[in-house]
Every structure is written in C-alpha cells, then in structure tokens.
Amino acid sequence: MPRTTEHRAPCIVVTGVAGTGKTTVARLLAQRMALPFAEGDDFHSPTAIAKMSAGTPLDDADRRPWLDSIGRWLHERDTAGSGGIVTCSALKRRYRDTLRAACPSVFFLHLTATRAQLLDRISKRTGHYMPTSLLDSQLATLEPLALDEHGATLDASPAPRTVADTATRLIPGPAR
C-alpha cells in the first residue's frame, strides 16, 4: 500500500525575514521531531552572498537557483519519506509556489516579529553576511502566507523554545 502524506514525516520550511529566528527555531524543531535539517543560507551561490554582503538585495533571477536547490532538497526528503526542515525566507508567494511545486505537501512555518526586534537581533549577529540595511527591502517584499497556503504564522517574539513548542503542535505529521 502506498504511503500517504499523513504517514510520512513532514517537510517544513521555516520562513520569514532576517532576524526572526528561523535557524534557531528550525534547529529546535528538527531536534524535537528527529528530522533532517538544512540551513537555507547554505544553498546561496557565492555571487548571491557577495551581493547581499555588499548591501544589495537579491532579485528574482538571483533567487531562482537558490529556490530550485531548496526545492530539490525538499523533494528528496519527501520522496525518501524522511521529511526534513529547511530555513528559507520565501518572502513571496511565487517563491513558496516554487518550493510547493517540488514538494506539494510542504508546510510553511512563517515567523514574524516587529521591525525593532528584527533590527536588534540582526545587529547582534556575528559572522552573518546579512546587513541590517537589507531588512527594509525584505519587509517591503514580504507577502505573508495566504489563507489557502498550507502553513501557520507565529509571532517569534517569545523565546525560541516557546516558539518551537507552539510550532510543534501546529505542524502536521506522524505522532511525536
């Protein structure tokens, strides 16, 4: 009998603008749910990283290969039945559509916070190429999850463990 999505481990994309805590929350979820984890930033090309490091926002052409790579990663985990969690800003619906085309059952966990919280978090990060100057372009680009998109939106203001606790209850999948 073929496996249905209800019996498969979920494929999850933790989305949001820079500073929402995508990586921290995704790692906690991956650990709790015993799912493979991938950091979406690792899928960027060196050219895209250099562009962002210089304070230049990526355009759709820059994002396409990145989204395709993340989509392949999701598709592989979905096909294998292992599920997985990956971070990806996925700011626009069409970006999420690209990921959904690769993995139709994908669940989007969209994290939000106030601009002031985001600026504070980004300014305190070390070793990351994303400057605070790009936050406003991300906020302007952001298209929140629509009601017909498979996912949930969570306020990322509480401690990451609290956000992960709430997210764990919202994410569909086998009993945890």
Side-chain angles (χ1 to χ4, degrees), residues 39-52:
E39 170 57 61
D41 289 342
D42 294 342
F43 292 85
H44 278 298
S45 70
T47 304
I49 291 171
K51 192 172 182 177
M52 288 183 284

Side-chain angles (χ1 to χ4, degrees), residues 3-13 26 29-31 33-38 43 70-87 103 105-107 171-174 176:
R3 296 174 79 180
T4 63
T5 55
E6 292 85 33
H7 301 294
R8 297 177 80 98
C11 288
I12 303 158
V13 179
L29 289 171
Q31 187 175 45
M33 299 173 73
L35 294 173
F37 167 78
F43 292 85
I70 292 171
R72 279 190 298 278
W73 188 89
L74 287 164
H75 178 77
E76 289 167 4
R77 265 106 216 120
D78 187 48
T79 301
S82 66
I85 298 177
V86 63
T87 60
C103 181
S105 65
V106 67
F107 183 88
I171 297 168
R176 287 179 277 288

Side-chain angles (χ1 to χ4, degrees), residues 17 55-58 63 91-92 115 130-142:
V17 299
T56 305
L58 298 182
R63 287 188 181 100
L91 299 174
K92 294 182 181 180
R115 182 179 181 280
M130 177 74 173
T132 56
S133 62
L134 291 181
L135 177 60
D136 286 332
S137 72
Q138 284 199 335
L139 290 169
T141 301
L142 178 63

